Amino acid sequence: MGCRSCDKPKMNYRKGLWSPEEDQRLRDYILKHGLGCWSAVPSKAGLQRNGKSCRLRWINYLRPGLKRGMFSQEEEDVVINLQAKLGNKWSQIAMHLPGRTDNEVKNYWNSYLKKRVMGSSNAGKSPSPPERLASMSATTGGGSTATSTHGDHDANHSGGSHGQHAISPAEPFVDPQHEAKNFVFADWMPTAAVAAAGPESYTMSAHWPASTASSGNVTPSHGAFVGDQMSGSSYGNALQHHQHPQDHHHHQSAAAVAHGGAGAGMVAGGGYFDLLNMGDIYGGFTSTNDDLLF
DNA sequence: AACCGCAACAACCGCAAAGGG
DNA sequence: TCCCTTTGCGGTTGTTGCGGT
């Protein structure tokens, strides 16, 4: 833990939302050097952030394998059950939800599930997500906020996280192009990995779990957007424009898959990332590029 | 058109645990 | 064993967009 070699002079750290440039720096740095001493990351990566902030940003946003978008019915059930069982042990709950971060689970619980659970105790009249979804879907994805600066995820989220009603077997909406947007990894990997490994050496099949590489869900189209986004004048605007009114549908297919008996994991084997393997991927970020075998 | 309240969620803060010197 | 630093976690806050009035 202690990393005295990482000692650095105190400085005024930047706070607030991360800019695309900062994200890029952090990504590049970690892709290049792997995970190590977070306190050393800011200076080495040329960021005016503290290590804690970098770590958080990486874990909650930039880390490979993150699954963004609405929670499937199955995921909701897991959260509700585990919350009842474990209490607010978000990190532990998140462990059962591949691709979800504790922060995301926590936010989802606080903003929606808690009310729903409370509500359900009241004659089972749960405040159904559609209430908001209905209005959201009529817009560009609704509640995406400042944080929508990061856009697509939030776009998916805001509308999506409340779209449980959309989980309808009779409505197996599947749009690979959209589904791909559920993954931050897909956002940046195509470009970042190329940057790290070199265009020649980078191929999807070589770096992704087979199930992922073959799933076709990791589409470059989104990565291309990121490129635009990065070069755009406004992170937030770009992303907002990217929000899709139908984003809330993304996960219903995931849910459908889950309900369809994926069994081993809510998304594993369903044509999505094999998120159950993502732990290995995280672990892959050790110290060298050689370890970056996705 | 302006204002207000609500919702969503990223990010911050503080604390405790872990681990090296 | 103690001290110090880093890391991880959970609670909370801040910011922004949207709908309603």
Side-chain angles (χ1 to χ4, degrees), chain A residues 189-190 193-194 197-209 213 294:
Chain A
M189 194 55 199
V194 166
E200 321 73 22
S201 62
Y202 177 74
T203 63
M204 285 294 207
S205 58
H207 294 273
W208 246 284
F294 304 107

Side-chain angles (χ1 to χ4, degrees), chain A residues 212-259:
Chain A
T212 298
S214 59
S215 70
N217 283 323
V218 180
T219 61
S221 61
H222 200 216
F225 164 75
V226 168
D228 296 337
Q229 163 188 331
M230 289 305 179
S231 59
S233 57
S234 169
Y235 203 10
N237 288 342
L239 285 158
Q240 281 182 4
H241 293 155
H242 193 58
Q243 291 172 356
H244 196 292
Q246 292 179 322
D247 277 353
H248 63 275
H249 286 296
H250 295 171
H251 274 247
Q252 73 189 39
S253 58
V257 167
H259 285 294

Side-chain angles (χ1 to χ4, degrees), chain A residues 4-40:
Chain A
R4 289 161 199 273
S5 63
C6 301
D7 284 350
K8 63 216 170 297
K10 295 286 180 194
M11 56 184 291
N12 285 332
Y13 296 113
R14 213 175 103 80
K15 289 186 181 180
L17 297 176
W18 281 65
S19 68
E21 290 77 18
E22 288 177 306
D23 281 346
Q24 191 63 54
R25 280 178 185 270
L26 183 57
R27 273 177 207 147
D28 289 348
Y29 176 82
I30 292 179
L31 277 175
K32 216 168 194 174
H33 301 93
L35 296 179
C37 180
W38 281 112
S39 62

Side-chain angles (χ1 to χ4, degrees), chain A residues 63-80:
Chain A
R63 187 177 65 174
L66 285 180
K67 174 186 172 189
R68 312 302 302 210
M70 64 175 281
F71 277 58
S72 67
Q73 181 65 59
E74 194 116 335
E75 287 176 306
E76 285 185 5
D77 292 343
V78 169
V79 174
I80 292 170

Side-chain angles (χ1 to χ4, degrees), chain A residues 6 40 45 52 60 77 100 134 147 165 178 191 219 223-224 227 230 257 260 264 282 291:
Chain A
C6 301
K52 202 171 180 175
N60 289 328
D77 292 343
R100 302 290 187 187
T147 45
H165 79 298
H178 290 161
T191 50
T219 61
M230 289 305 179
V257 167
Y282 305 157
D291 291 327

